Amino acid sequence: MLYLEFLLLLIMLYVGSRFGGIGLGVVSGVGLLIEVFVLRMPPSAPPIDVMLIIISVVTCAAVLEAAGGLKFMLQCAERILRYNPKMVTILGPIVTYTMTLMLGTGHAVYTIMPIIGDVALKNGIRPERPMAAASVSSQLGINASPISAVVVYYLTQIVELPGYEHITLLSIVSVTIPATFAGVIMMSLYSLRRGKELKDDPVYQRRLKDPAWSDRISNTASTTLNEVLPTSARNAVLLFILSIVLIVIIAMFPELRTLGEGQKAISMNLIIQMVMLAFGGIILLSTKTNPQTVPNGVVFKSGMVAMIAIFGIAWMSDTYFQYAMPSFKAGVTQMVESYPWTFAFALFAVSVVINSQAATGRMMLPVGLAIGLPAPLLIGLLPATYGYFFIPNYPSDIATVNFDVTGTTKIGKYYFNHSFMIPGLIGVVVACFVGYTLAYAII
């Protein structure tokens, strides 16, 4: 019966993934209703903590976008790319990775991707090389960001383990940042020579023969450098960076979040929510940004959609796993005890289906904790929560395909032989290997 119930869970996740975004959340709500009232499973608690982290971070980042801060960051990134155009295959992924690390969300990639493609094309570089790696890097960076929901959720759960009370936010990112950055560098190095040169690519040459496509390719130009931004845009970025620095400092010194002698320190979960919410207000007031423009930006809309998706997915999944844990634990424990790294496959497989590191962590970390996996292993394998490049239906990947006017970045004829597959596999495997090694050395 448990297998049939798990099959229902997978079916609901699959159906939701066909709609994507909010569809994932509301279809999972149908599954939750069936679990509780048809299959008689006790409902678990909804993932309120994860949702509040997403709301606070996305709100602050959305205020930053409305204040012009995101455009300021894009101009800085574009100057780097155009100053070193021949290095775009290396620099493009590093730029998108860094933006995600700072913002805690990968949705800013939509604004920089046309620029990466433009720089590559104008320098005779196959756009697939930097663009596919940049799309993957933008999502891999979520596992490195100190303000991302998945990293903070791991922290709040792992510090509750006996013997791991000393773990801080800095402990986790000191593993995930070098691990994921190593993955970015390796996938970028692989991408330097991937695919045919433009002069030898049949798809590109065929498009050049089409007058409409040829005109679009020759006249394509994407830049943010022509726009003059007010000083407040730069100030908004500096304030946002200050908020991240403040969070890291508070995480490093627990005494700063202990209000009195004998009292328990305030959890980093609440600290991040407070700091992000406060700095959203500080940026809004200091830059005199119109609050009515905040919900209209890409960051706010994408973040709220992600939150609803996680709401349904995590609640439905957690309800099943809490119900099935006594039986599930016995079978998985034996495999993982013999080969601990196999837990990475479970994380990866879940992420392929549900398209979210935060939802994957919310679904699978309690399983890892319940079967007694050590904290260094769980932290080291955190990059495996990014597996949704495997099926090319994630918005950033689809957008990247559309941004490449040359047709070199593509969904393959056989669906799985798409442009993001090999960079994604290289990035995640390298990140897990480095993370696994570092975690046991550091933690």
Side-chain angles (χ1 to χ4, degrees):
M1 190 62 186
L2 285 176
Y3 289 117
L4 293 176
E5 290 163 347
F6 185 65
L7 180 62
L8 169 69
L9 176 74
L10 294 179
I11 290 173
M12 288 299 170
L13 292 174
Y14 174 76
V15 173
S17 70
R18 304 303 295 174
F19 293 94
I22 289 178
L24 270 168
V26 295
V27 172
S28 295
V30 176
L32 176 65
L33 210 62
I34 294 172
E35 285 178 341
V36 173
F37 290 101
V38 177
L39 302 176
R40 315 304 292 176
M41 297 182 189
S44 66
I48 300 299
D49 289 344
V50 174
M51 292 168 63
L52 289 177
I53 292 170
I54 293 173
I55 289 174
S56 59
V57 172
V58 165
T59 299
C60 189
V63 174
L64 173 71
E65 181 182 15
L70 193 54
K71 283 188 178 179
F72 179 83
M73 292 174 65
L74 285 172
Q75 287 188 346
C76 294
E78 185 176 353
R79 288 190 181 97
I80 294 171
L81 293 173
R82 295 196 184 278
Y83 185 73
N84 303 276
K86 296 297 183 183
M87 293 291 291
V88 67
T89 305
I90 301 292
L91 294 176
I94 292 176
V95 163
T96 58
Y97 172 85
T98 303
M99 290 179 68
T100 297
L101 189 148
M102 293 177 62
L103 295 170
T105 173
H107 292 296
V109 72
Y110 306 120
T111 50
I112 191 66
M113 198 60 74
I115 295 170
I116 294 174
D118 187 56
V119 172
L121 181 58
K122 284 181 169 49
N123 287 274
I125 298 170
R126 181 183 178 89
E128 178 191 36
R129 294 171 181 173
M131 293 181 77
S135 181
V136 172
S137 298
S138 71
Q139 302 304 314
L140 194 59
I142 291 173
N143 290 315
S145 175
I147 57 174
S148 73
V150 65
V151 170
V152 178
Y153 179 71
Y154 263 63
L155 173 66
T156 58
Q157 298 302 302
I158 288 174
V159 293
E160 299 296 328
L161 296 176
Y164 292 107
E165 298 87 352
H166 64 284
I167 290 179
T168 65
L169 184 63
L170 191 62
S171 306
I172 295 179
V173 297
S174 65
V175 172
T176 59
I177 289 178
T180 52
F181 188 74
V184 169
I185 295 299
M186 290 305 294
M187 79 170 82
S188 300
L189 292 174
Y190 157 77
S191 299
L192 283 172
R193 297 293 178 186
R194 74 175 302 196
K196 296 179 180 180
E197 300 297 334
L198 287 177
K199 61 184 176 63
D200 301 319
D201 187 271
V203 175
Y204 176 66
Q205 293 302 320
R206 189 163 56 247
R207 288 194 174 188
L208 284 180
K209 293 177 182 178
D210 184 323
W213 274 108
S214 178
D215 183 66
R216 181 181 176 189
I217 290 171
S218 60
N219 294 322
T220 183
S222 184
T223 182
T224 62
L225 298 181
N226 296 330
E227 187 173 354
V228 178
L229 298 177
T231 306
S232 59
R234 181 202 62 191
N235 295 340
V237 173
L238 293 176
L239 286 169
F240 190 82
I241 294 173
L242 179 61
S243 71
I244 299 174
V245 172
L246 181 61
I247 288 170
V248 173
I249 291 173
I250 294 174
M252 290 173 60
F253 302 101
E255 58 269 21
L256 294 176
R257 47 194 173 94
T258 303
L259 301 181
E261 188 175 348
Q263 294 188 14
K264 189 176 179 180
I266 302 171
S267 74
M268 283 305 302
N269 187 347
L270 294 177
I271 293 294
I272 290 177
Q273 292 173 36
M274 287 188 286
V275 172
M276 286 286 102
L277 196 62
F279 270 84
I282 293 170
I283 294 171
L284 189 79
L285 294 172
S286 63
T287 61
K288 296 182 172 62
T289 299
N290 182 357
Q292 294 182 356
T293 64
V294 175
N296 298 326
V298 173
V299 171
F300 186 86
K301 291 178 180 178
S302 300
M304 292 303 107
V305 167
M307 185 196 68
I308 294 171
I310 290 170
F311 180 32
I313 291 168
W315 200 359
M316 178 184 70
S317 303
D318 199 39
T319 295
Y320 170 78
F321 279 112
Q322 285 196 19
Y323 175 76
M325 184 54 68
S327 302
F328 185 76
K329 181 177 179 180
V332 176
T333 301
Q334 185 176 0
M335 178 186 73
V336 174
E337 282 180 348
S338 302
Y339 307 100
W341 50 269
T342 56
F343 190 67
F345 289 112
L347 293 171
F348 188 86
V350 170
S351 180
V352 168
V353 179
I354 64 178
N355 285 359
S356 168
Q357 287 105 310
T360 300
R362 184 65 180 77
M363 179 175 172
M364 294 303 296
L365 181 60
V367 176
L369 296 174
I371 61 181
L373 295 182
L377 174 71
L378 294 170
I379 294 172
L381 298 182
L382 197 154
T385 58
Y386 170 49
Y388 45 84
F389 65 85
F390 198 84
I391 298 175
N393 62 356
Y394 196 72
S396 61
D397 294 337
I398 298 298
T400 301
V401 171
N402 293 326
F403 284 138
D404 185 358
V405 295
T406 66
T408 59
T409 308
K410 57 188 180 295
I411 307 300
K413 179 181 178 181
Y414 303 104
Y415 194 59
F416 290 103
N417 60 328
H418 52 78
S419 294
F420 313 97
M421 180 65 81
I422 298 180
L425 290 173
I426 291 173
V428 171
V429 170
V430 170
C432 285
F433 179 80
V434 175
Y436 183 89
T437 304
L438 280 177
Y440 276 98
I442 294 174
I443 296 175

